[in-house]
Amino acid sequence: MGERGDRWQGRAVLHVDMDAFFAAVEQLDHPEWRGKPVVVGHPGERGVVSAASYEARAFGVHSAMPSARAKRLAPDAIWAPVRFERYGELSRTVRGIFESVTPHVQMASIDEAYLDVTPASAASPDPVDLARRIQGEVDALGLSCSIGMATSKTVAKVASDHDKPHGLVVVRPGEEASFLAPLPVRALPGVGPATAQRLQHVGIRTLGELAALDRVTAAQVLGDYGYSLVLRASGIDTSDVREERERKSLSKEHTFARDISSAEEVESALRRLAEQVGERVRAKGLAGRTVTVKLRFGDFTTKTVRRTLPAPTDLESVFLPVALELLRHAWSPGIGLRLLGLGLSGFDEPAEQLDLFGSERAEDTRRRRALADSMDAVRRRFGDGAVRMGAADARDDGFAEE
């Protein structure tokens, strides 16, 4: 699709996708790694790739791949541990660039966003110029992004994937169907392997063929949601760019290098997760009501349990006892655990509104928060292992975020 000089008419949506974001941040912070294969994740036997630079992708390495396989494909790759705090810092910087262009920003994840840049009047900046401005400002950070521009979120997202890395693909009004038609059905967000296989069984391999389905056939092949896919394959999508200012949850997970089964090991790991979740919640000025514990057993079955607190909190001294109780109801010592996760959600109120329970309780809360803030400051300066609650485990064999 071209970037013609005629003025944009109607709705304009950008999908901005940071290129190999985690790996690009590592190359930014380690200039000697530029141009080399970099893999972000834990290289242990049970590790998983979180991100891969384009140099590593040339060897076939990709996110969610088992680390053991990635090491076979790219034996000389540089491995970097996941640093969510650093990625979050740069993600916020990039978001600031977006918000300098438009207030209508929907962060779809830490490394991608939708922006509504529809011209308000004939005097408004041209949306294509805004896309170029964003790309240039991201370049100036030492990072890279790919941008898709169209009249809808669906087409913009497909377009941003169309020319990576550092692409700018503009699908102008009226060109949506012709842009999508030759693409494989998997290019459409929401079409996974199972759906693609069902479509292939009836001879549908491209989005143009999917767009040609009638409502009855779509329902027969794909069920109730089938016709919505047909519309989106035609370029029809009226969903709004939602300005979501707050995260719905914050969580941390730990995959163990070996299954653990003792109460001491498991509870120590949960305490460490609580410290990390608490520190991140406080850093964002949030307080959550719902505590969630996730367990994955040695046979790969997964159990998730949660409980809602009577009031929101940002203190692990408050939500950890609840998490330990949930753990003890969901798991018994002697049963092997492969993964443990802890999350806090339901961010109803800011943390500073929590001390409304009477002077004695408020004073206790203030003491707890002062202690937590002091521990956060020590960890930020000297590292996560510098100070811990109680029996928190000092080992670090690879944490990953949910």
Side-chain angles (χ1 to χ4, degrees):
M1 299 290 114
E3 295 183 37
R4 299 192 306 260
D6 51 315
R7 178 123 188 123
W8 189 277
Q9 299 291 327
R11 190 181 186 214
V13 176
L14 304 182
H15 182 258
V16 185
D17 193 4
M18 301 298 294
D19 296 323
F21 183 51
F22 291 3
V25 172
E26 297 302 333
Q27 290 176 317
L28 174 67
D29 289 350
H30 304 87
E32 69 276 15
W33 293 356
R34 287 190 177 274
K36 298 179 180 180
V38 175
V39 180
V40 179
H42 190 271
E45 182 181 347
R46 289 189 171 183
V48 175
V49 174
S50 292
S53 69
Y54 283 95
E55 295 85 357
R57 294 182 190 189
F59 291 93
V61 180
H62 57 76
S63 61
M65 172 182 283
S67 296
R69 185 180 176 200
K71 289 164 70 177
R72 289 194 299 271
L73 291 172
D76 297 325
I78 298 165
W79 284 78
V82 179
R83 299 187 297 154
F84 284 111
E85 287 75 14
R86 175 59 170 153
Y87 310 147
E89 175 189 350
L90 282 170
S91 177
R92 290 188 291 275
T93 300
V94 170
R95 179 172 183 155
I97 293 173
F98 300 159
E99 292 177 340
S100 73
V101 170
T102 175
H104 308 300
V105 177
Q106 177 185 343
M107 295 299 296
S109 68
I110 193 172
D111 62 351
E112 62 175 318
Y114 293 98
L115 287 69
D116 190 325
V117 291
T118 303
S121 69
S124 300
D126 186 82
V128 178
D129 292 338
L130 294 178
R132 292 196 187 100
R133 171 182 154 187
I134 289 169
Q135 201 164 51
E137 293 192 20
V138 171
D139 289 348
L141 294 176
L143 299 171
S144 170
C145 68
S146 296
I147 302 179
M149 180 172 171
T151 57
S152 70
K153 291 166 67 176
T154 291
V155 181
K157 181 169 176 57
V158 175
S160 71
D161 288 334
H162 200 62
D163 184 22
K164 291 181 71 73
H166 205 257
L168 172 56
V169 176
V170 178
V171 182
R172 289 189 170 272
E175 297 178 343
E176 298 88 354
S178 60
F179 167 71
L180 296 173
L183 302 179
V185 292
R186 285 296 306 276
L188 189 70
V191 176
T195 300
Q197 189 172 32
R198 266 183 281 168
L199 290 169
Q200 188 170 345
H201 283 327
V202 294
I204 296 173
R205 292 176 172 80
T206 68
L207 292 179
E209 292 167 341
L210 176 57
L213 283 184
D214 61 82
R215 186 185 294 270
V216 173
T217 305
Q220 291 172 343
V221 175
L222 299 171
D224 292 340
Y225 74 101
Y227 196 63
S228 67
L229 284 183
V230 169
L231 293 175
R232 292 171 60 221
S234 308
I236 300 172
D237 172 18
T238 60
S239 59
D240 293 327
V241 173
R242 300 185 304 277
E243 300 160 36
E244 297 173 336
R245 294 285 174 180
E246 296 182 353
R247 292 193 56 164
K248 295 180 180 179
S249 67
L250 283 167
S251 61
K252 296 290 288 186
E253 291 183 354
H254 181 49
T255 299
F256 302 101
R258 57 174 178 80
D259 290 354
I260 64 171
S261 57
S262 75
E264 181 182 3
E265 287 180 299
V266 174
E267 292 185 8
S268 180
L270 190 64
R271 288 188 179 94
R272 179 170 183 183
L273 292 170
E275 291 173 358
Q276 295 176 323
V277 170
E279 182 179 2
R280 295 184 63 207
V281 168
R282 287 188 293 276
K284 293 179 178 293
L286 301 173
R289 299 181 67 98
T290 302
V291 182
T292 301
V293 174
K294 177 179 176 181
L295 307 99
R296 181 166 297 147
F297 299 96
D299 61 358
F300 287 89
T301 59
T302 301
K303 178 184 290 187
T304 302
V305 288
R306 58 179 53 87
R307 180 173 300 168
T308 300
L309 303 172
T313 185
D314 62 350
L315 297 172
E316 55 266 36
S317 57
V318 175
F319 65 77
L320 174 59
V322 176
L324 286 167
E325 186 177 348
L326 288 170
L327 171 70
R328 291 163 186 157
H329 278 92
W331 169 83
S332 298
I335 299 175
L337 280 183
R338 174 186 174 89
L339 176 146
L340 184 65
L342 175 62
L344 194 64
S345 59
F347 299 130
D348 301 314
E349 304 174 35
E352 54 266 27
Q353 293 183 7
L354 298 179
D355 298 337
L356 306 176
F357 309 105
S359 59
E360 183 176 347
R361 186 170 176 184
E363 180 59 30
D364 179 62
T365 300
R366 281 191 286 271
R367 284 197 302 268
R368 292 188 187 201
R369 182 166 297 111
L371 175 61
D373 290 342
S374 298
M375 294 173 70
D376 291 346
V378 172
R379 292 189 192 109
R380 282 194 295 271
R381 183 169 182 181
F382 298 107
D384 285 344
V387 59
R388 297 204 178 286
M389 293 189 305
D393 192 352
R395 294 174 307 161
D396 185 3
D397 47 353
F399 276 70
E401 185 177 75
E402 189 172 41

